[in-house]
């Protein structure tokens, strides 16, 4: 299976007129979405706390915030990691879940997920 790339928007939920257009890689093995902190600061998104993560063969600490995402005509709230300059833009699995989407491994695209309520 190859990489699935997609374009999406990240909004500052407190000021919805402030948003950024992002192209990133979908990674179902990554929990949160990662976006360069300079992009998030440009839309005045503020971090809410720091969390520790396992990455790059060790442990790192990154700020996280709450953003709104828009993709394929769907919108949802997500936790987002303020990435460093070297961190790629990654759309994590919680964003897919918030939007009711999943990866189609045959077509290497995103598709509507079958959602379970209970």
């Amino acid at each position: 299976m190859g990489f699935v790339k997609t374009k999406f928007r990240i909004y500052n939920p407190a000021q919805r007129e402030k948003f950024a257009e992002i192209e990133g890689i979908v990674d179902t093995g990554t929990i949160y979405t990662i976006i360069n902190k300079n992009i998030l600061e440009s839309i005045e998104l503020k971090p809410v706390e720091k969390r520790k993560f396992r990455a790059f063969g060790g442990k790192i600490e990154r700020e996280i915030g709450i953003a709104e995402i828009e993709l394929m005509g769907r919108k949802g709230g997500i936790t987002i990691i303020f990435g460093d300059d070297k961190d790629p833009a990654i759309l994590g699995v919680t964003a897919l879940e918030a939007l009711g989407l999943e990866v189609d491994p045959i077509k290497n695209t995103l598709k509507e997920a079958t959602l379970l309520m209970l």
Side-chain angles (χ1 to χ4, degrees), residues 6-58:
T6 191
K7 292 182 181 180
F8 54 96
R9 282 187 176 181
I10 294 292
Y11 291 88
N12 179 333
Q15 301 175 66
R16 291 203 76 255
E17 69 279 2
K18 296 185 179 185
F19 64 89
E21 299 272 351
I22 309 290
E23 182 171 22
I25 297 169
V26 179
D27 185 349
T28 59
T30 299
I31 295 174
Y32 298 134
T33 295
I34 305 166
I35 303 296
N36 183 293
K37 65 183 172 186
N38 296 323
I39 294 170
L40 298 177
E41 289 168 356
S42 77
I43 63 169
E44 298 182 22
L45 191 69
K46 305 290 183 205
V48 294
E49 68 179 22
K50 286 187 176 184
R51 291 192 185 163
K52 293 180 183 176
F53 299 92
R54 283 186 295 148
F56 310 116

Short mmCIF file of all heavy atoms in Angstrom, two decimals, residues 6-58:
data_model
loop_
_atom_site.label_atom_id
_atom_site.label_comp_id
_atom_site.label_asym_id
_atom_site.label_seq_id
_atom_site.Cartn_x
_atom_site.Cartn_y
_atom_site.Cartn_z
N THR A 6 -3.66 13.97 1.11
CA THR A 6 -4.92 14.68 1.00
C THR A 6 -4.73 16.15 1.36
O THR A 6 -3.78 16.51 2.05
CB THR A 6 -6.00 14.03 1.89
OG1 THR A 6 -7.27 14.57 1.57
CG2 THR A 6 -5.71 14.23 3.37
N LYS A 7 -5.64 16.97 0.86
CA LYS A 7 -5.66 18.38 1.22
C LYS A 7 -6.82 18.61 2.16
O LYS A 7 -7.91 18.04 1.98
CB LYS A 7 -5.82 19.25 -0.03
CG LYS A 7 -4.61 19.22 -0.93
CD LYS A 7 -4.79 20.11 -2.13
CE LYS A 7 -3.55 20.02 -3.02
NZ LYS A 7 -3.66 20.86 -4.22
N PHE A 8 -6.59 19.44 3.18
CA PHE A 8 -7.64 19.73 4.15
C PHE A 8 -7.41 21.13 4.73
O PHE A 8 -6.36 21.73 4.51
CB PHE A 8 -7.67 18.67 5.26
CG PHE A 8 -6.36 18.44 5.96
CD1 PHE A 8 -6.06 19.09 7.16
CD2 PHE A 8 -5.41 17.57 5.44
CE1 PHE A 8 -4.86 18.87 7.80
CE2 PHE A 8 -4.20 17.34 6.08
CZ PHE A 8 -3.93 18.00 7.27
N ARG A 9 -8.40 21.62 5.44
CA ARG A 9 -8.29 22.92 6.11
C ARG A 9 -8.28 22.72 7.61
O ARG A 9 -9.01 21.89 8.14
CB ARG A 9 -9.49 23.82 5.77
CG ARG A 9 -9.42 24.46 4.43
CD ARG A 9 -10.55 25.45 4.28
NE ARG A 9 -10.42 26.14 3.00
CZ ARG A 9 -11.23 27.08 2.58
NH1 ARG A 9 -12.25 27.45 3.33
NH2 ARG A 9 -11.04 27.65 1.42
N ILE A 10 -7.45 23.52 8.26
CA ILE A 10 -7.43 23.60 9.71
C ILE A 10 -7.92 24.99 10.10
O ILE A 10 -7.39 25.99 9.61
CB ILE A 10 -6.00 23.36 10.27
CG1 ILE A 10 -5.55 21.93 9.99
CG2 ILE A 10 -5.93 23.68 11.76
CD1 ILE A 10 -6.29 20.87 10.76
N TYR A 11 -8.95 25.05 10.95
CA TYR A 11 -9.52 26.31 11.41
C TYR A 11 -9.19 26.56 12.87
O TYR A 11 -9.11 25.62 13.67
CB TYR A 11 -11.05 26.27 11.31
CG TYR A 11 -11.60 26.27 9.92
CD1 TYR A 11 -11.79 25.07 9.24
CD2 TYR A 11 -11.97 27.45 9.31
CE1 TYR A 11 -12.32 25.07 7.96
CE2 TYR A 11 -12.51 27.45 8.02
CZ TYR A 11 -12.67 26.26 7.36
OH TYR A 11 -13.20 26.24 6.08
N ASN A 12 -9.06 27.83 13.21
CA ASN A 12 -9.04 28.24 14.61
C ASN A 12 -10.50 28.28 15.04
O ASN A 12 -11.26 29.11 14.53
CB ASN A 12 -8.39 29.63 14.73
CG ASN A 12 -8.36 30.12 16.16
OD1 ASN A 12 -9.19 29.75 16.97
ND2 ASN A 12 -7.41 30.97 16.45
N PRO A 13 -10.94 27.40 15.94
CA PRO A 13 -12.37 27.35 16.27
C PRO A 13 -12.88 28.61 16.97
O PRO A 13 -14.08 28.89 16.92
CB PRO A 13 -12.50 26.12 17.18
CG PRO A 13 -11.13 25.84 17.67
CD PRO A 13 -10.18 26.38 16.64
N ALA A 14 -11.98 29.39 17.58
CA ALA A 14 -12.39 30.64 18.23
C ALA A 14 -12.54 31.78 17.23
O ALA A 14 -13.21 32.77 17.51
CB ALA A 14 -11.38 31.01 19.31
N GLN A 15 -11.88 31.64 16.06
CA GLN A 15 -11.92 32.66 15.02
C GLN A 15 -11.97 31.94 13.67
O GLN A 15 -10.96 31.84 12.99
CB GLN A 15 -10.68 33.55 15.10
CG GLN A 15 -10.50 34.26 16.43
CD GLN A 15 -9.18 35.01 16.46
OE1 GLN A 15 -9.00 35.97 15.72
NE2 GLN A 15 -8.27 34.58 17.31
N ARG A 16 -13.13 31.46 13.29
CA ARG A 16 -13.26 30.59 12.12
C ARG A 16 -12.82 31.22 10.81
O ARG A 16 -12.58 30.53 9.84
CB ARG A 16 -14.68 30.07 11.98
CG ARG A 16 -15.02 29.09 13.10
CD ARG A 16 -16.13 28.14 12.77
NE ARG A 16 -15.67 27.07 11.88
CZ ARG A 16 -15.95 27.00 10.59
NH1 ARG A 16 -16.66 27.93 10.01
NH2 ARG A 16 -15.53 25.99 9.86
N GLU A 17 -12.70 32.54 10.79
CA GLU A 17 -12.22 33.19 9.56
C GLU A 17 -10.72 32.96 9.36
O GLU A 17 -10.18 33.23 8.30
CB GLU A 17 -12.55 34.69 9.56
CG GLU A 17 -11.79 35.52 10.57
CD GLU A 17 -12.34 35.49 12.00
OE1 GLU A 17 -13.33 34.78 12.26
OE2 GLU A 17 -11.76 36.16 12.86
N LYS A 18 -10.06 32.43 10.39
CA LYS A 18 -8.63 32.14 10.32
C LYS A 18 -8.44 30.65 10.10
O LYS A 18 -8.81 29.83 10.93
CB LYS A 18 -7.93 32.61 11.58
CG LYS A 18 -8.03 34.12 11.72
CD LYS A 18 -7.26 34.63 12.89
CE LYS A 18 -7.43 36.17 12.89
NZ LYS A 18 -6.65 36.78 13.91
N PHE A 19 -7.86 30.31 8.94
CA PHE A 19 -7.67 28.91 8.60
C PHE A 19 -6.43 28.77 7.73
O PHE A 19 -5.91 29.75 7.20
CB PHE A 19 -8.90 28.33 7.89
CG PHE A 19 -9.20 28.95 6.57
CD1 PHE A 19 -8.64 28.46 5.40
CD2 PHE A 19 -10.04 30.05 6.48
CE1 PHE A 19 -8.91 29.03 4.18
CE2 PHE A 19 -10.33 30.63 5.26
CZ PHE A 19 -9.76 30.13 4.10
N ALA A 20 -5.98 27.54 7.59
CA ALA A 20 -4.83 27.23 6.73
C ALA A 20 -5.18 26.03 5.86
O ALA A 20 -5.84 25.10 6.31
CB ALA A 20 -3.60 26.92 7.58
N GLU A 21 -4.74 26.09 4.61
CA GLU A 21 -4.88 24.97 3.67
C GLU A 21 -3.64 24.10 3.84
O GLU A 21 -2.52 24.61 3.76
CB GLU A 21 -4.96 25.48 2.24
CG GLU A 21 -6.13 26.39 1.95
CD GLU A 21 -7.39 25.64 1.55
OE1 GLU A 21 -7.31 24.42 1.33
OE2 GLU A 21 -8.42 26.30 1.46
N ILE A 22 -3.82 22.83 4.06
CA ILE A 22 -2.73 21.90 4.34
C ILE A 22 -2.78 20.74 3.35
O ILE A 22 -3.86 20.24 3.02
CB ILE A 22 -2.85 21.32 5.77
CG1 ILE A 22 -3.01 22.41 6.82
CG2 ILE A 22 -1.70 20.38 6.08
CD1 ILE A 22 -1.81 23.26 7.05
N GLU A 23 -1.62 20.28 2.93
CA GLU A 23 -1.52 19.01 2.22
C GLU A 23 -0.69 18.10 3.10
O GLU A 23 0.43 18.45 3.48
CB GLU A 23 -0.88 19.16 0.85
CG GLU A 23 -0.84 17.83 0.11
CD GLU A 23 -0.40 17.94 -1.34
OE1 GLU A 23 0.26 18.92 -1.69
OE2 GLU A 23 -0.70 17.01 -2.10
N GLY A 24 -1.24 16.96 3.44
CA GLY A 24 -0.53 16.07 4.34
C GLY A 24 -0.72 14.61 3.97
O GLY A 24 -1.50 14.26 3.08
N ILE A 25 0.00 13.79 4.69
CA ILE A 25 -0.06 12.34 4.52
C ILE A 25 -1.01 11.78 5.57
O ILE A 25 -0.95 12.14 6.74
CB ILE A 25 1.34 11.72 4.71
CG1 ILE A 25 2.30 12.25 3.63
CG2 ILE A 25 1.27 10.20 4.68
CD1 ILE A 25 3.74 11.90 3.89
N VAL A 26 -1.88 10.88 5.16
CA VAL A 26 -2.78 10.19 6.08
C VAL A 26 -1.99 9.04 6.70
O VAL A 26 -1.38 8.25 5.99
CB VAL A 26 -4.03 9.65 5.36
CG1 VAL A 26 -4.93 8.90 6.33
CG2 VAL A 26 -4.77 10.79 4.67
N ASP A 27 -2.00 8.97 8.03
CA ASP A 27 -1.28 7.90 8.72
C ASP A 27 -2.18 7.33 9.80
O ASP A 27 -2.37 7.93 10.86
CB ASP A 27 0.01 8.44 9.33
CG ASP A 27 0.87 7.35 9.97
OD1 ASP A 27 0.38 6.20 10.14
OD2 ASP A 27 2.02 7.63 10.31
N THR A 28 -2.75 6.15 9.55
CA THR A 28 -3.65 5.52 10.51
C THR A 28 -2.92 4.96 11.72
O THR A 28 -3.55 4.55 12.68
CB THR A 28 -4.48 4.41 9.84
OG1 THR A 28 -3.58 3.43 9.30
CG2 THR A 28 -5.37 4.97 8.75
N GLY A 29 -1.60 4.98 11.70
CA GLY A 29 -0.81 4.57 12.85
C GLY A 29 -0.47 5.73 13.77
O GLY A 29 0.09 5.55 14.84
N THR A 30 -0.81 6.94 13.35
CA THR A 30 -0.58 8.14 14.16
C THR A 30 -1.90 8.55 14.77
O THR A 30 -2.92 8.63 14.07
CB THR A 30 -0.02 9.28 13.27
OG1 THR A 30 1.22 8.86 12.72
CG2 THR A 30 0.19 10.55 14.06
N ILE A 31 -1.90 8.82 16.06
CA ILE A 31 -3.15 9.15 16.74
C ILE A 31 -3.62 10.56 16.37
O ILE A 31 -4.71 10.75 15.86
CB ILE A 31 -3.01 9.00 18.27
CG1 ILE A 31 -2.75 7.53 18.60
CG2 ILE A 31 -4.24 9.51 18.99
CD1 ILE A 31 -2.44 7.25 20.04
N TYR A 32 -2.79 11.57 16.65
CA TYR A 32 -3.18 12.96 16.44
C TYR A 32 -2.66 13.49 15.11
O TYR A 32 -1.73 12.95 14.53
CB TYR A 32 -2.65 13.86 17.56
CG TYR A 32 -3.16 13.53 18.93
CD1 TYR A 32 -2.30 13.45 20.01
CD2 TYR A 32 -4.51 13.31 19.17
CE1 TYR A 32 -2.76 13.17 21.28
CE2 TYR A 32 -4.98 13.02 20.44
CZ TYR A 32 -4.10 12.95 21.49
OH TYR A 32 -4.57 12.67 22.75
N THR A 33 -3.25 14.58 14.66
CA THR A 33 -2.79 15.28 13.47
C THR A 33 -1.62 16.18 13.84
O THR A 33 -1.63 16.80 14.91
CB THR A 33 -3.96 16.10 12.87
OG1 THR A 33 -4.95 15.16 12.44
CG2 THR A 33 -3.52 16.96 11.71
N ILE A 34 -0.62 16.25 12.98
CA ILE A 34 0.58 17.05 13.23
C ILE A 34 0.69 18.12 12.14
O ILE A 34 0.68 17.79 10.96
CB ILE A 34 1.85 16.18 13.19
CG1 ILE A 34 1.73 15.01 14.17
CG2 ILE A 34 3.09 17.02 13.48
CD1 ILE A 34 2.77 13.92 13.96
N ILE A 35 0.78 19.38 12.57
CA ILE A 35 0.93 20.50 11.65
C ILE A 35 2.04 21.40 12.18
O ILE A 35 2.14 21.62 13.40
CB ILE A 35 -0.38 21.31 11.53
CG1 ILE A 35 -1.55 20.42 11.09
CG2 ILE A 35 -0.21 22.51 10.59
CD1 ILE A 35 -1.42 19.82 9.72
N ASN A 36 2.83 21.96 11.28
CA ASN A 36 3.91 22.86 11.66
C ASN A 36 3.39 23.98 12.56
O ASN A 36 2.38 24.61 12.24
CB ASN A 36 4.55 23.44 10.39
CG ASN A 36 5.72 24.32 10.68
OD1 ASN A 36 5.58 25.39 11.26
ND2 ASN A 36 6.89 23.87 10.26
N LYS A 37 4.08 24.20 13.67
CA LYS A 37 3.62 25.21 14.63
C LYS A 37 3.56 26.61 14.03
O LYS A 37 2.72 27.42 14.44
CB LYS A 37 4.51 25.20 15.88
CG LYS A 37 5.95 25.60 15.65
CD LYS A 37 6.76 25.50 16.91
CE LYS A 37 8.23 25.72 16.59
NZ LYS A 37 9.06 25.49 17.77
N ASN A 38 4.40 26.91 13.03
CA ASN A 38 4.35 28.24 12.40
C ASN A 38 3.02 28.45 11.66
O ASN A 38 2.47 29.55 11.66
CB ASN A 38 5.52 28.42 11.43
CG ASN A 38 6.85 28.40 12.16
OD1 ASN A 38 6.98 28.89 13.27
ND2 ASN A 38 7.85 27.80 11.53
N ILE A 39 2.51 27.40 11.05
CA ILE A 39 1.21 27.48 10.37
C ILE A 39 0.10 27.68 11.40
O ILE A 39 -0.78 28.52 11.22
CB ILE A 39 0.96 26.22 9.52
CG1 ILE A 39 1.96 26.15 8.37
CG2 ILE A 39 -0.49 26.18 9.01
CD1 ILE A 39 1.94 24.84 7.61
N LEU A 40 0.16 26.93 12.49
CA LEU A 40 -0.88 27.05 13.53
C LEU A 40 -0.82 28.43 14.19
O LEU A 40 -1.87 29.02 14.48
CB LEU A 40 -0.72 25.94 14.55
CG LEU A 40 -0.89 24.52 13.99
CD1 LEU A 40 -0.64 23.49 15.06
CD2 LEU A 40 -2.26 24.34 13.35
N GLU A 41 0.37 28.95 14.41
CA GLU A 41 0.51 30.29 14.98
C GLU A 41 -0.01 31.35 14.00
O GLU A 41 -0.55 32.37 14.43
CB GLU A 41 1.96 30.56 15.36
CG GLU A 41 2.39 29.75 16.57
CD GLU A 41 3.90 29.77 16.83
OE1 GLU A 41 4.65 30.36 16.03
OE2 GLU A 41 4.31 29.15 17.83
N SER A 42 0.12 31.11 12.69
CA SER A 42 -0.35 32.09 11.70
C SER A 42 -1.87 32.24 11.72
O SER A 42 -2.39 33.28 11.32
CB SER A 42 0.13 31.71 10.29
OG SER A 42 -0.64 30.64 9.76
N ILE A 43 -2.59 31.21 12.20
CA ILE A 43 -4.05 31.32 12.34
C ILE A 43 -4.43 31.56 13.80
O ILE A 43 -5.59 31.44 14.17
CB ILE A 43 -4.77 30.09 11.75
CG1 ILE A 43 -4.42 28.79 12.49
CG2 ILE A 43 -4.50 29.96 10.26
CD1 ILE A 43 -5.28 27.60 12.13
N GLU A 44 -3.42 31.90 14.60
CA GLU A 44 -3.58 32.27 16.01
C GLU A 44 -4.18 31.16 16.86
O GLU A 44 -4.88 31.40 17.83
CB GLU A 44 -4.38 33.56 16.14
CG GLU A 44 -3.68 34.73 15.48
CD GLU A 44 -4.41 36.05 15.62
OE1 GLU A 44 -5.24 36.20 16.55
OE2 GLU A 44 -4.15 36.95 14.79
N LEU A 45 -3.89 29.91 16.48
CA LEU A 45 -4.31 28.78 17.29
C LEU A 45 -3.36 28.69 18.48
O LEU A 45 -2.14 28.72 18.31
CB LEU A 45 -4.27 27.48 16.48
CG LEU A 45 -4.93 26.28 17.14
CD1 LEU A 45 -6.45 26.47 17.20
CD2 LEU A 45 -4.60 25.02 16.39
N LYS A 46 -3.91 28.58 19.67
CA LYS A 46 -3.11 28.56 20.89
C LYS A 46 -3.00 27.13 21.43
O LYS A 46 -3.99 26.39 21.45
CB LYS A 46 -3.74 29.44 21.97
CG LYS A 46 -3.98 30.87 21.54
CD LYS A 46 -2.70 31.62 21.39
CE LYS A 46 -2.97 33.07 21.04
NZ LYS A 46 -1.92 33.71 20.35
N PRO A 47 -1.81 26.76 21.91
CA PRO A 47 -1.69 25.44 22.56
C PRO A 47 -2.42 25.44 23.90
O PRO A 47 -2.57 26.49 24.53
CB PRO A 47 -0.19 25.28 22.75
CG PRO A 47 0.41 26.62 22.58
CD PRO A 47 -0.55 27.47 21.83
N VAL A 48 -2.88 24.25 24.31
CA VAL A 48 -3.56 24.12 25.59
C VAL A 48 -2.71 23.41 26.63
O VAL A 48 -2.92 23.57 27.82
CB VAL A 48 -4.94 23.42 25.45
CG1 VAL A 48 -5.90 24.28 24.64
CG2 VAL A 48 -4.82 22.04 24.85
N GLU A 49 -1.75 22.60 26.18
CA GLU A 49 -0.83 21.93 27.09
C GLU A 49 0.28 21.25 26.30
O GLU A 49 0.28 21.27 25.07
CB GLU A 49 -1.56 20.89 27.95
CG GLU A 49 -2.09 19.68 27.20
CD GLU A 49 -2.79 18.67 28.11
OE1 GLU A 49 -3.23 19.03 29.21
OE2 GLU A 49 -2.88 17.51 27.71
N LYS A 50 1.22 20.63 27.02
CA LYS A 50 2.27 19.84 26.40
C LYS A 50 2.05 18.38 26.75
O LYS A 50 1.60 18.06 27.85
CB LYS A 50 3.65 20.27 26.90
CG LYS A 50 4.12 21.59 26.35
CD LYS A 50 5.55 21.86 26.75
CE LYS A 50 6.03 23.15 26.10
NZ LYS A 50 7.44 23.39 26.40
N ARG A 51 2.39 17.52 25.80
CA ARG A 51 2.31 16.08 26.05
C ARG A 51 3.58 15.42 25.54
O ARG A 51 4.24 15.92 24.64
CB ARG A 51 1.10 15.46 25.35
CG ARG A 51 -0.21 15.90 25.96
CD ARG A 51 -1.36 15.09 25.49
NE ARG A 51 -2.60 15.65 26.03
CZ ARG A 51 -3.78 15.37 25.57
NH1 ARG A 51 -3.93 14.55 24.54
NH2 ARG A 51 -4.85 15.91 26.11
N LYS A 52 3.88 14.27 26.11
CA LYS A 52 5.05 13.50 25.70
C LYS A 52 4.62 12.41 24.73
O LYS A 52 3.57 11.80 24.90
CB LYS A 52 5.73 12.89 26.92
CG LYS A 52 6.35 13.94 27.82
CD LYS A 52 7.00 13.32 29.02
CE LYS A 52 7.54 14.45 29.90
NZ LYS A 52 8.11 13.96 31.13
N PHE A 53 5.47 12.19 23.73
CA PHE A 53 5.19 11.21 22.69
C PHE A 53 6.43 10.36 22.43
O PHE A 53 7.55 10.84 22.61
CB PHE A 53 4.81 11.90 21.37
CG PHE A 53 3.59 12.76 21.47
CD1 PHE A 53 3.70 14.12 21.77
CD2 PHE A 53 2.33 12.23 21.28
CE1 PHE A 53 2.58 14.92 21.86
CE2 PHE A 53 1.19 13.02 21.36
CZ PHE A 53 1.33 14.37 21.65
N ARG A 54 6.22 9.13 21.98
CA ARG A 54 7.31 8.32 21.46
C ARG A 54 7.42 8.63 19.98
O ARG A 54 6.45 8.52 19.25
CB ARG A 54 7.04 6.83 21.67
CG ARG A 54 7.29 6.38 23.09
CD ARG A 54 7.17 4.91 23.24
NE ARG A 54 5.77 4.53 22.95
CZ ARG A 54 5.39 3.39 22.41
NH1 ARG A 54 6.28 2.48 22.10
NH2 ARG A 54 4.13 3.13 22.19
N ALA A 55 8.61 9.02 19.55
CA ALA A 55 8.81 9.36 18.14
C ALA A 55 10.29 9.42 17.84
O ALA A 55 11.10 9.73 18.72
CB ALA A 55 8.16 10.70 17.81
N PHE A 56 10.63 9.17 16.59
CA PHE A 56 12.01 9.30 16.12
C PHE A 56 12.99 8.49 16.97
O PHE A 56 14.11 8.91 17.21
CB PHE A 56 12.43 10.78 16.08
CG PHE A 56 11.45 11.67 15.36
CD1 PHE A 56 10.78 12.67 16.05
CD2 PHE A 56 11.20 11.49 14.01
CE1 PHE A 56 9.87 13.49 15.39
CE2 PHE A 56 10.30 12.32 13.35
CZ PHE A 56 9.63 13.32 14.05
N GLY A 57 12.56 7.34 17.47
CA GLY A 57 13.43 6.47 18.24
C GLY A 57 13.62 6.88 19.69
O GLY A 57 14.50 6.37 20.38
N GLY A 58 12.84 7.81 20.18
CA GLY A 58 12.97 8.27 21.56
C GLY A 58 11.67 8.90 22.03
O GLY A 58 10.61 8.62 21.51
#
